[in-house]
Amino acid sequence: MPDLTPPAVILDKPQMAENIGAVARVMANFGLSDLRLVSPRDGWPQERAWATASGADWVLDGVRVFESVAGAIADLNTVFATTARPRETRQPVRTPRESSRILYDETASGLKTGLLFGGERAGLETTDIALCAGIVTIPIDPKHHSLNLAQAVAINAYEWRTLILDAPPPRFREAEPPASNDLLIGLYEHLEEELENGGFFYPPEKKRSMSQNLRVMLGRAAFSEQEVATMRGAIHALARGRGRVLAKLAAERAAKAEKPETPE
């Protein structure tokens, strides 16, 4: 079996300890161990999770808790959001089998990957989906499309495990690997700050959707670390240029105000 690091499983705002334990159980079934929780409703740790994990204690013992999805995926390079609901983001939508192949190739190239799952009731926020490289949707019968959290994790984990057991030759990437999510989020925030200063987000009530669209567009580019640095340098140069123009205009106004009037 190749020495590959399985994808991390990120649960956003999980509600029930029993569901967290059930997720840990199926992760252990298929060889996954990196479980991350974002703002669990009842806090962490919760004894009921261990009771339903059926002995998968090492998964629960290693759980890390984060306050935001952005923080939970910061060290990962490629993350897919799992959701059955149609979203307004223009991101690639794949089955668990298709996405597992991509995650396998990314992992074989030395990258860190993950799968993001929403809470039991509300699912994932569109703003968090926009931080991911694509969407994973399980092709279930539309007559009854309800899956519980552990079932959704199990299907994705099974597809990963199948690839590991079959051990296909990985498709190694020829280009530079994509930057980690903490660098991408830094780029997004830098751009949005300067756009805010420049009055781009108008009317104000559309700022959230405009920001989300920008993140999706930039995310599809799969920037490398060097490309992120180049983009931030370009943003900085544009911002300084705007500052020079404003400073020049202010100086001209000040000089005009100080210039004595010529008597007629």
Side-chain angles (χ1 to χ4, degrees), residues 151-203:
Q151 288 174 325
V153 174
I155 291 171
N156 284 274
Y158 166 80
E159 294 294 349
W160 165 267
R161 183 70 173 182
T162 298
L163 284 176
I164 293 296
L165 293 178
D166 290 345
R171 293 190 288 266
F172 291 100
R173 65 172 57 248
E174 297 178 0
E176 289 293 315
S180 59
N181 274 283
D182 60 335
L183 293 179
L184 291 176
I185 292 170
L187 167 63
Y188 301 155
E189 292 175 345
H190 185 187
L191 175 61
E192 289 161 7
E193 178 182 1
E194 296 301 340
L195 290 175
E196 179 74 43
N197 294 336
F200 175 77
F201 296 115
Y202 186 84

Side-chain angles (χ1 to χ4, degrees), residues 82-151:
T82 59
T83 177
R85 299 180 182 179
R87 301 290 178 174
E88 56 266 28
T89 58
R90 296 181 58 188
Q91 290 169 288
V93 180
R94 302 181 177 92
T95 64
R97 184 164 300 173
E98 293 171 319
S99 62
S100 292
R101 177 70 210 202
I102 296 173
L103 295 178
Y104 178 88
D105 291 334
E106 299 282 70
T107 303
S109 300
L111 304 183
K112 299 180 69 176
T113 64
L115 289 162
L116 173 64
F117 297 83
E120 294 90 328
R121 286 185 178 272
L124 291 171
E125 294 286 342
T126 307
T127 51
D128 291 325
I129 296 175
L131 298 176
C132 299
I135 293 172
V136 181
T137 296
I138 298 171
I140 54 181
D141 194 315
K143 293 179 181 178
H144 191 67
H145 53 74
S146 176
L147 282 177
N148 68 38
L149 185 56
Q151 288 174 325

Side-chain angles (χ1 to χ4, degrees), residues 21-42:
V23 166
R25 176 179 181 177
V26 299
M27 286 177 63
N29 289 152
F30 298 109
L32 283 67
S33 59
D34 186 356
L35 178 57
R36 308 178 183 192
L37 308 180
V38 178
S39 300
R41 183 189 65 183
D42 299 327

Side-chain angles (χ1 to χ4, degrees), residues 11 14-25 35 37 40 43-44 46 49 52 60 63 120 149:
L11 306 184
Q15 295 182 310
M16 298 180 62
E18 291 82 358
N19 287 340
I20 298 173
V23 166
R25 176 179 181 177
L35 178 57
L37 308 180
W44 188 261
Q46 302 175 42
T52 56
L60 295 176
V63 162
E120 294 90 328
L149 185 56

Side-chain angles (χ1 to χ4, degrees), residues 58-69:
W58 68 93
V59 178
L60 295 176
D61 292 341
V63 162
R64 285 180 284 171
V65 179
F66 299 84
E67 295 182 359
S68 67
V69 169

